[in-house]
Amino acid sequence: QVQLVESGGGLVQAGGSLRLSCAASGRTFNMGWFRQAPGNEREFVAAITRTGGTSYYNDFVQGRFTMSRDNGRNTVYLQMNSLQPEDTAVYYCAADDDPRDYGSSWSGDYDYWGRGAQVTVSS
């Protein structure tokens, strides 16, 4: 079975940085990151294509977050810089088993989900 395991979450002060990792046990997928804060709906953060040739970002993280992947390790990363309290949320890794080299901001495109990593940013 496909399993996704997130790591790297924690508590940081505003302006700090964190790097999230997501290790996939199965084959290579198009990958995405989503986040959900208490009382809010899940929202798109970033996505990267199967080959890593193209990445996509929500406007509210553009220029601060960078998504990358290492297909040799079957792992994707989310480097988060200039973190702000409004970035506090549970961050979820997701895999899209689409045969195309494809990136999507729609959660319904994703077939597998990790259990989430807590990111807390204090002021």
Side-chain angles (χ1 to χ4, degrees):
Q1 295 182 352
V2 174
Q3 293 182 323
L4 305 177
V5 181
E6 301 100 334
S7 62
L11 173 65
V12 298
Q13 295 183 15
S17 298
L18 284 174
R19 189 193 192 205
L20 300 180
S21 299
C22 175
S25 64
R27 55 197 175 275
T28 302
F29 301 95
N30 304 301
M31 300 293 294
W33 288 97
F34 293 77
R35 71 186 188 186
Q36 187 168 20
N40 292 354
E41 295 184 348
R42 186 172 299 181
E43 61 185 357
F44 169 74
V45 176
I48 193 166
T49 58
R50 189 183 302 272
T51 63
T54 308
S55 57
Y56 306 87
Y57 302 94
N58 203 320
D59 288 343
F60 53 74
V61 301
Q62 184 76 40
R64 298 190 297 125
F65 293 8
T66 302
M67 189 173 182
S68 61
R69 68 187 306 156
D70 182 347
N71 286 349
R73 298 176 61 87
N74 213 13
T75 301
V76 297
Y77 307 93
L78 185 67
Q79 179 67 46
M80 303 183 293
N81 299 326
S82 301
L83 285 162
Q84 300 299 314
E86 54 265 36
D87 296 314
T88 295
V90 177
Y91 284 70
Y92 296 92
C93 176
D96 176 14
D97 194 12
D98 191 313
R100 298 171 295 175
D101 196 36
Y102 182 76
S104 177
S105 61
W106 180 48
S107 62
D109 275 338
Y110 293 86
D111 303 289
Y112 308 100
W113 293 83
R115 294 179 178 177
Q118 178 68 49
V119 172
T120 303
V121 185
S122 65
S123 59

